[in-house]
């Protein structure tokens, strides 16, 4: 690559349009300076990677709980409305940015260098999330190995980790079908297995005294990072093949669990509880906020994963179609997961003789306490337990691939000549450093640190980043400009629906979410444990640090310019000279001849010579050029 650039500097080059094909010798017209960055190797790689990224652990343990606590079937009304207002438009915006520029979350801010701090904030957020997210995968691996036995270890009391409060709820009902004991004073074997054996929380006094490292968890975390590293070893060329399995196999297991669940006695009781519409809940602002939050986090907007994946697309990939496939597929998957989960919870409710709402839990408790307990009530319980945790493993891994690929891509795009040739080594260093930082999560008090990271790493800071991105693209760069870029890329301009959402509806909704999260702020807690003030302050600072990246980036961008403060702001907010499509042949209008080492004043003509005619996308390029010429004439 460097030799090629040096050749351009040493030897005068005849402009490409003035050369005949015989003059060009063996020069490959497809050669470009971004060729070593890599691309998806198959047509479905990108689509399956996006599906795997969006469909994650939250679809199993967050959506079903939020649905039944916020109106059951009525919750689907605000859920799909928020999907239309926030989810789909912001998803399409992030994909468009990545595909148009073929750049990661940092370098993409050539679109407006003043806001490069938003890219740095994305990296900070996704780095913190990747550390604790892989710890959850380590828990899944722990349970996966524990399921490889004839009798599940959390099925009975009487183990060294059990206490006197342990009660095997199954089989304790009297002749009237009710439990004679007060369940509130007892603990299930699965709950004590989770808290006292897996987490070993009794060895910690709180977040300030984490205790000793749990070596079994430490090894599971190491295995999780080894798996992730091996899958991203060659970037999207390797992870793009792995997702063919990790993004599709969970649906097969989910279907098996769904069929098994709905055939259980009492399953209808759980499904009815899950979906019974309670329309009076729609009068509460909390339900609408919960729906927006669920959409916001489940689609992974603002983490940079979507932008990174799209940056490896070909320039004319139909991301408009892909947006609707992924976003609607994610929503349908969440609803199906609810059926699978609540059918089993209905069965548990009937077996235990308690209402469904006393069985259901939110968060990791559903995956590591309630559902494992339900598995012990089924015939062939180790088999169903293994399937469930294998599904969680595949759901979690492809999301983790996206987090790591985002970090690696962003940094290598900033320093391409140093890091791209050593991408494997750099990826390994990232995995090792994150593993070491995650060791605190494997201690006796590791769950307290995990909860703190989960509550603050991607909370209000993520909303600030997405709002900033939306406003920078539509207001500073310009909505007309952005739509013209999409027209050049896809052959059509986004309609009124997308423009209205980008300009008004999406930022306003996110701003309302941000205000709501600040006004309704509640300190973190884990069960009955309340976090000390210093831990709360640490969490708040964690969220504020990502927000502070934005003004810090603005300060750096302004200091790099010359002139008065206003002139510096104007210059820093304008797109960089080399902003635009990465391949010279895709550049037209403002983007002509702005790439380093470019030869052709009209890449469109290169297309015509190569393909012997004008395709639909070249027609689009001609149309864009004409529009821009007309605008320039009207301004003169």
């Amino acid at each position: 690559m460097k030799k090629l650039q040096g050749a351009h500097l040493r030897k005068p080059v005849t402009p490409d349009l003035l050369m005949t094909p015989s003059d060009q010798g063996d020069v490959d017209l497809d050669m470009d300076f971004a060729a070593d960055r890599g691309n998806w190797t198959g047509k479905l790689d990108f689509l399956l990677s996006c599906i795997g990224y969006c469909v994650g652990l939250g679809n199993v343990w967050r959506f079903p709980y939020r649905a039944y606590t916020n109106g059951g079937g009525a919750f689907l009304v605000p859920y799909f409305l928020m999907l239309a207002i926030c989810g789909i438009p912001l998803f399409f915006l992030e994909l468009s940015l990545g595909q148009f520029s073929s750049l990661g979350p940092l370098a993409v801010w050539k679109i407006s260098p003043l806001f490069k701090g938003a890219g740095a904030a994305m990296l900070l957020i996704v780095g913190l999330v990747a550390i604790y997210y892989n710890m959850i995968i380590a828990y899944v691996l722990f349970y996966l190995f524990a399921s490889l036995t004839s009798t599940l270890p959390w099925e009975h009391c009487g183990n060294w980790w059990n206490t006197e409060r342990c009660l095997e709820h199954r089989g304790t009902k009297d002749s009237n079908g009710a439990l004679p004991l007060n369940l509130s004073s007892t603990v299930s074997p699965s709950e004590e297995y989770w808290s006292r054996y897996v987490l070993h929380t009794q060895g910690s006094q709180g977040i300030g005294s984490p205790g000793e490292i749990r070596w079994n968890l430490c090894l599971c975390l190491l295995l999780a990072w080894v798996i992730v590293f091996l899958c991203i070893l060659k970037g999207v060329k390797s992870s793009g093949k792995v997702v063919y399995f990790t993004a599709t196999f969970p649906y097969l297991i989910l279907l098996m669990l769904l069929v098994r669940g709905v055939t259980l006695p009492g399953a209808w009781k759980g499904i009815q509880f899950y979906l019974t519409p309670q329309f009076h809940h729609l009068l509460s602002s909390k339900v609408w906020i919960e729906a927006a939050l669920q959409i916001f986090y489940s689609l992974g907007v603002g983490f940079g994963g979507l932008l990174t994946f799209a940056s490896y697309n070909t320039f004319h990939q139909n991301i408009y179609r892909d947006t609707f496939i992924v976003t609607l597929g994610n929503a349908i998957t969440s609803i199906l997961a609810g059926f699978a989960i609540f059918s089993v919870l209905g069965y548990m409710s009937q077996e235990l003789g308690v209402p469904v709402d006393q069985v259901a839990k939110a968060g990791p408790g559903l995956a590591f306490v309630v559902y494992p307990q339900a598995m012990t009530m089924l015939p062939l319980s180790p088999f169903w337990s293994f399937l469930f945790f294998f599904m969680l493993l595949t759901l979690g891994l492809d999301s983790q691939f996206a987090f790591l690929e985002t970090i690696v891509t962003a940094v290598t795009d900033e320093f391409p000549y140093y890091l791209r040739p050593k991408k494997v080594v750099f990826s390994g260093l990232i995995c090792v450093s994150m593993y070491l930082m995650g060791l605190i999560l494997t201690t006796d008090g590791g769950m307290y640190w995990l909860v703190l990271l989960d509550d603050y790493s991607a909370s209000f800071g993520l909303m600030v980043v997405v709002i900033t991105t939306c406003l920078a693209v539509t207001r500073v760069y310009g909505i007309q400009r952005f739509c013209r870029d999409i027209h050049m890329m896809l052959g059509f301009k986004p309609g009124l629906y997308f423009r209205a959402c980008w300009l008004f509806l999406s930022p306003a909704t996110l701003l309302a979410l941000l205000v709501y999260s600040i006004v309704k702020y509640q300190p973190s807690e884990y069960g009955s444990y309340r976090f000390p003030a210093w831990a709360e302050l640490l969490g708040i600072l964690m969220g504020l640090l990502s927000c502070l990246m934005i003004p810090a980036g603005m300060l750096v961008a302004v200091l790099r310019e010359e002139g008065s403060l206003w002139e510096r702001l104007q210059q820093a907010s304008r797109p960089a000279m080399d902003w635009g499509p990465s391949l010279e042949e895709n550049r037209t209008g403002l983007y002509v001849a702005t790439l380093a080492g470019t030869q052709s004043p009209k890449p469109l003509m290169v297309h015509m010579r190569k393909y012997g005619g004008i395709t639909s996308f070249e027609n689009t390029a001609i149309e864009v050029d004409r529009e821009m010429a007309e605008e320039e004439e009207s301004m003169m």
Side-chain angles (χ1 to χ4, degrees):
M1 187 63 59
K2 291 182 179 178
K3 292 180 180 179
L4 287 172
Q5 287 182 317
H8 279 296
L9 294 174
R10 292 192 302 268
K11 182 180 178 182
V13 180
T14 306
D16 192 39
L17 287 179
L18 302 181
M19 297 170 66
T20 65
S22 59
D23 293 330
Q24 298 179 55
D26 297 327
V27 175
D28 184 3
L29 285 168
D30 288 329
M31 184 183 64
D32 64 274
F33 291 95
D36 59 346
R37 189 176 185 271
N39 290 98
W40 298 109
T41 56
K43 293 183 178 180
L44 287 177
D45 293 17
F46 166 71
L47 186 61
L48 290 177
S49 294
C50 286
I51 291 174
Y53 170 60
C54 296
V55 178
L57 299 173
N59 294 75
V60 174
W61 69 44
R62 185 175 287 121
F63 176 84
Y65 185 85
R66 277 189 169 167
Y68 97 81
T69 54
N70 291 286
F75 180 72
L76 298 180
V77 175
Y79 178 76
F80 279 101
L81 189 59
M82 290 300 171
L83 177 65
I85 293 176
C86 278
I88 294 174
L90 293 176
F91 195 96
F92 185 49
L93 182 142
E94 195 164 327
L95 291 186
S96 299
L97 273 179
Q99 181 167 303
F100 182 78
S101 62
S102 297
L103 296 171
L106 278 177
V108 76
W109 287 104
K110 290 178 180 180
I111 190 174
S112 184
L114 186 66
F115 296 94
K116 192 171 185 175
M122 277 185 186
L123 288 193
L124 176 63
I125 291 171
V126 80
L128 292 172
V129 170
I131 291 173
Y132 80 81
Y133 200 86
N134 224 27
M135 189 64 229
I136 298 175
I137 295 177
Y139 293 143
V140 172
L141 285 170
F142 191 98
Y143 272 82
L144 191 68
F145 295 138
S147 301
L148 299 174
T149 179
S150 58
T151 302
L152 294 174
W154 56 85
E155 187 170 350
H156 303 291
C157 297
N159 302 289
W160 67 261
W161 59 82
N162 294 126
T163 65
E164 296 178 354
R165 297 178 59 204
C166 182
L167 174 67
E168 296 177 29
H169 295 160
R170 188 183 182 187
T172 58
K173 292 185 288 188
D174 57 22
S175 58
N176 296 323
L179 287 169
L181 300 175
N182 182 10
L183 282 179
S184 62
S185 62
T186 64
V187 181
S188 67
S190 63
E191 188 165 349
E192 287 202 337
Y193 180 82
W194 166 243
S195 62
R196 295 182 59 81
Y197 180 68
V198 179
L199 300 180
H200 201 258
T201 52
Q202 68 270 25
S204 170
Q205 300 300 316
I207 193 171
S209 57
E212 297 180 355
I213 287 180
R214 299 278 292 157
W215 290 106
N216 45 11
L217 286 180
C218 183
L219 291 175
C220 285
L221 182 62
L222 177 61
L223 178 60
W225 278 111
V226 169
I227 293 173
V228 170
F229 171 69
L230 292 177
C231 291
I232 67 165
L233 189 61
K234 295 183 179 179
V236 294
K237 289 185 178 180
S238 56
S239 65
K241 294 306 177 187
V242 175
V243 293
Y244 276 80
F245 176 76
T246 58
T248 56
F249 195 68
Y251 285 96
L252 177 61
I253 302 180
L254 185 63
L255 184 61
M256 293 174 65
L257 292 173
L258 177 61
V259 172
R260 184 69 185 102
V262 296
T263 56
L264 291 170
W268 177 246
K269 183 188 297 185
I271 294 174
Q272 187 177 21
F273 190 83
Y274 166 53
L275 285 183
T276 299
Q278 303 170 39
F279 290 105
H280 65 278
H281 279 272
L282 299 182
L283 300 176
S284 169
S285 60
K286 175 179 176 292
V287 175
W288 295 85
I289 296 294
E290 290 283 346
L293 285 172
Q294 178 62 28
I295 288 293
F296 186 69
Y297 288 110
S298 66
L299 291 179
V301 175
F303 289 96
L306 298 172
L307 193 152
T308 300
F309 283 162
S311 71
Y312 291 103
N313 278 341
T314 57
F315 189 68
H316 299 304
Q317 169 78 18
N318 191 352
I319 50 173
Y320 181 79
R321 173 202 60 202
D322 295 342
T323 294
F324 286 96
I325 291 175
V326 176
T327 53
L328 294 177
N330 177 68
I332 293 171
T333 302
S334 297
I335 296 171
L336 286 178
F339 280 103
I341 296 297
F342 271 87
S343 61
V344 175
L345 297 185
Y347 168 69
M348 285 185 66
S349 171
Q350 180 164 304
E351 287 290 301
L352 298 175
V354 297
V356 179
D357 59 353
Q358 291 186 26
V359 177
K361 285 186 178 181
L366 178 62
F368 297 114
V369 177
V370 179
Y371 216 81
Q373 182 185 351
M375 295 299 102
T376 64
M377 300 179 179
L378 299 175
L380 299 174
S381 55
F383 170 73
W384 293 108
S385 177
F386 181 86
L387 280 186
F388 176 71
F389 286 108
F390 193 75
M391 178 185 72
L392 291 186
L393 176 65
T394 52
L395 284 173
L397 279 177
D398 36 25
S399 297
Q400 186 71 1
F401 297 160
F403 296 148
L404 265 294
E405 194 61 55
T406 297
I407 297 171
V408 172
T409 297
V411 181
T412 52
D413 279 351
E414 278 294 290
F415 309 100
Y417 297 110
Y418 300 103
L419 293 181
R420 279 182 189 167
K422 303 174 182 177
K423 194 171 183 179
V424 174
V425 176
F426 180 66
S427 300
L429 290 175
I430 292 291
C431 290
V432 170
S433 60
M434 286 194 167
Y435 169 68
L436 294 176
M437 286 187 282
L439 285 178
I440 186 70
L441 304 177
T442 65
T443 61
D444 295 334
M447 178 52 70
Y448 302 125
W449 285 97
L450 190 145
V451 169
L452 192 71
L453 283 167
D454 186 34
D455 285 349
Y456 292 101
S457 61
S459 55
F460 58 89
L462 183 64
M463 295 183 198
V464 171
V465 169
V466 177
I467 292 172
T468 302
T469 301
C470 197
L471 294 179
V473 171
T474 59
R475 303 288 183 174
V476 179
Y477 182 67
I479 187 68
Q480 295 299 331
R481 237 175 175 180
F482 186 56
C483 289
R484 185 185 295 140
D485 290 345
I486 295 175
H487 186 196
M488 182 191 306
M489 183 170 60
L490 301 183
F492 61 89
K493 287 185 178 180
L496 179 62
Y497 157 66
F498 281 103
R499 294 200 300 271
C501 288
W502 289 336
L503 283 171
F504 307 109
L505 296 179
S506 297
T509 303
L510 291 176
L511 188 60
L513 282 178
L514 179 62
V515 173
Y516 178 85
S517 64
I518 294 173
V519 172
K520 295 291 184 179
Y521 168 77
Q522 292 182 342
S524 294
E525 57 184 43
Y526 178 67
S528 59
Y529 178 77
R530 299 295 182 271
F531 285 77
W534 67 265
E536 288 295 321
L537 180 61
L538 180 63
I540 293 172
L541 290 176
M542 195 188 306
L544 284 176
L545 184 58
S546 57
C547 298
L548 293 175
M549 290 285 188
I550 299 173
M554 289 181 172
L555 180 61
V556 171
V558 167
L559 291 176
R560 286 179 174 176
E561 302 297 339
E562 297 179 353
S564 64
L565 178 60
W566 177 244
E567 289 172 342
R568 290 179 180 221
L569 283 172
Q570 284 184 312
Q571 292 165 9
S573 62
R574 294 192 187 105
M577 283 296 295
D578 56 346
W579 163 252
S582 64
L583 297 182
E584 184 186 347
E585 63 189 29
N586 292 322
R587 290 181 168 242
T588 185
L590 287 174
Y591 304 112
V592 169
T594 55
L595 278 175
T598 187
Q599 301 178 41
S600 304
K602 279 292 178 183
L604 175 57
M605 300 302 294
V606 179
H607 262 299
M608 292 172 64
R609 189 182 67 246
K610 284 174 62 178
Y611 300 116
I614 299 180
T615 67
S616 59
F617 289 110
E618 278 82 60
N619 278 324
T620 299
I622 293 173
E623 187 178 340
V624 171
D625 279 344
R626 187 185 302 116
E627 287 181 7
M628 298 182 69
E630 290 174 356
E631 286 184 12
E632 291 173 0
E633 290 178 2
S634 63
M635 293 174 62
M636 293 178 62

